[in-house]
Amino acid sequence: MIKRRYTMKRGIIINVVLMVLILVFAIISMNSGKMNLSPLEVLNVLIGTGTDKQNLIVFDFRLPRIVLSILVGLGMGAAGVVMQSLLRNDMASPGTLGISSGSGLFVLFFVVFIASTGKSSFIALPLLAFVGGLLAAGLIFLLSYRRGRDISPIGLILTGVALGSGYGALTTFLTLKLDDSQMNFMLYWLAGSLWGDDWGYISILTPWVLILLGYIFYKARILNALHLGNQTAQGLGVSVKRQFLGLSIAAVALSSGSVAVGGSFFFVGLIAPHMARKLVGPDHKLLIPAASLAGGLVVVLADTITRTVSLVGDVPTGIVITVISVPYFLYLLAKAK
């Protein structure tokens, strides 16, 4: 009998290790930056004995950014897994399907036409990004649909690329209406800047991400069946169209909500599932948490680097993610058969 390479025990251990690594880099991140704090000073803050200045640095500057990094990574990692599994295509992601362009266009609408402050912006921006991503996804599926045929994954991606170009043209047109501060915000958002490091945004994003993650994990068995093909899933008693629609909306909501307050981190949705699949295998009961945690780890690590290493100017976290992830992605492509 052939011994399975991927086991439940191995998968659980790897997920625990990923959680520990996120915690370690979160602690390192709290000690890093222009205003250095020693580990003892951070500990004093966490147990309530820090000074006012130390409390300000940790609770108002460092901790919100760390929590935002983890939430964005969790959301993008899970969204990437769902899209790759539903389409049975390792190149599928919110970015390659054009959903990123739709979300970005509606974020730009917010900046140009709404740009409110206070509690209304905390709710309006994630919702607008979700609406933009959902409309983009709906249009892609509508244009790819053929009566009596299964939707082609390659057709979906090609349609997404084409529509993404159209969204890009609209985005360029709207940027003509931006002033200098608005233009600066959009450039940093597109480059992947963790700009929404405010407890107000985090209080909206946290339940959004956790509820959708719970739903996707609950559907792990369904994703295992869908990944085998529609006919096989139907034979196993799965309502393919209904489950496909529900999981697609959840993935779009996760990715759109995450990038609305975290910037354009769609590359995380492409690379994190690949990393997780190498570690725990294809079983979604292990793959979904592993991809989510891998995404969180990548974003936290990249953000720690941006605040620790002396770089020229304020480099967005998304650029560092691309720099550290592309070599691994090229390695995966070289190893692919």
Side-chain angles (χ1 to χ4, degrees):
M1 183 175 179
I2 300 175
K3 186 177 180 180
R4 293 176 60 188
R5 179 185 172 188
Y6 301 109
T7 64
M8 182 64 68
K9 181 179 178 180
R10 168 193 165 101
I12 292 173
I13 292 174
I14 288 175
N15 277 296
V16 171
V17 170
L18 288 173
M19 284 190 285
V20 171
L21 287 174
I22 289 177
L23 179 60
V24 168
F25 280 107
I27 294 173
I28 294 173
S29 186
M30 277 192 282
N31 290 279
S32 305
K34 296 179 181 178
M35 297 174 286
N36 289 325
L37 294 177
S38 68
L40 181 59
E41 289 174 328
V42 172
L43 179 61
N44 289 334
V45 171
L46 295 179
I47 63 176
T49 59
T51 65
D52 290 341
K53 179 181 178 181
Q54 292 168 352
N55 290 333
L56 178 68
I57 293 172
V58 173
F59 289 120
D60 288 6
F61 295 108
R62 302 269 171 86
L63 196 56
R65 191 175 178 98
I66 293 168
V67 173
L68 179 63
S69 300
I70 295 172
L71 289 173
V72 169
L74 292 175
M76 294 309 302
V81 164
V82 172
M83 291 183 179
Q84 291 178 11
S85 298
L86 291 179
L87 300 179
R88 299 185 297 281
N89 190 312
D90 290 344
M91 292 302 296
S93 74
T96 55
L97 287 174
I99 295 170
S100 60
S101 301
S103 295
L105 180 61
F106 273 66
V107 168
L108 184 58
F109 284 156
F110 174 85
V111 173
V112 174
F113 299 112
I114 301 176
S116 60
T117 57
K119 293 183 179 180
S120 60
S121 68
F122 296 150
I123 300 174
L125 184 55
L127 285 178
L128 278 175
F130 169 57
V131 170
L134 191 62
L135 288 176
L139 189 57
I140 291 167
F141 282 108
L142 181 64
L143 293 176
S144 302
Y145 176 75
R146 297 291 182 272
R147 184 183 295 272
R149 297 184 186 179
D150 289 337
I151 295 177
S152 168
I154 296 178
L156 279 174
I157 292 177
L158 292 176
T159 303
V161 170
L163 289 176
S165 300
Y167 298 140
L170 286 174
T171 300
T172 302
F173 174 75
L174 284 175
T175 54
L176 299 176
K177 297 180 175 292
L178 300 181
D179 58 30
D180 290 342
S181 62
Q182 291 173 331
M183 176 67 78
N184 187 60
F185 169 82
M186 282 307 300
L187 289 176
Y188 270 84
W189 185 91
L190 291 169
S193 174
L194 290 164
W195 70 273
D197 52 350
D198 183 286
W199 288 117
Y201 286 114
I202 293 172
S203 66
I204 298 296
L205 183 61
T206 300
W208 183 292
V209 170
L210 295 182
I211 291 172
L212 290 169
L213 273 176
Y215 170 78
I216 289 174
F217 182 75
Y218 175 73
K219 295 291 184 178
R221 183 183 63 85
I222 301 296
L223 280 169
N224 282 336
L226 291 173
H227 190 62
L228 297 174
N230 292 345
Q231 291 183 345
T232 302
Q234 286 176 343
L236 295 172
V238 176
S239 177
V240 173
K241 290 184 179 179
R242 182 166 60 86
Q243 298 294 346
F244 189 97
L245 179 62
L247 285 165
S248 297
I249 292 175
V252 172
L254 258 181
S255 59
S256 300
S258 298
V259 301
V261 296
S264 185
F265 284 94
F266 287 97
F267 193 74
V268 178
L270 178 63
I271 196 68
H274 286 274
M275 297 170 62
R277 203 172 283 112
K278 286 282 185 181
L279 293 171
V280 302
D283 185 353
H284 286 80
K285 292 180 181 178
L286 299 171
L287 180 59
I288 292 170
S292 302
L293 292 170
L297 179 61
V298 167
V299 179
V300 170
L301 174 60
D303 186 57
T304 302
I305 291 173
T306 61
R307 294 191 293 106
T308 303
V309 180
S310 179
L311 298 171
V312 178
D314 185 13
V315 179
T317 305
I319 294 178
V320 178
I321 289 176
T322 302
V323 171
I324 64 179
S325 299
V326 164
Y328 178 72
F329 189 65
L330 293 175
Y331 165 77
L332 290 178
L333 290 176
K335 295 286 289 185
K337 296 182 180 179

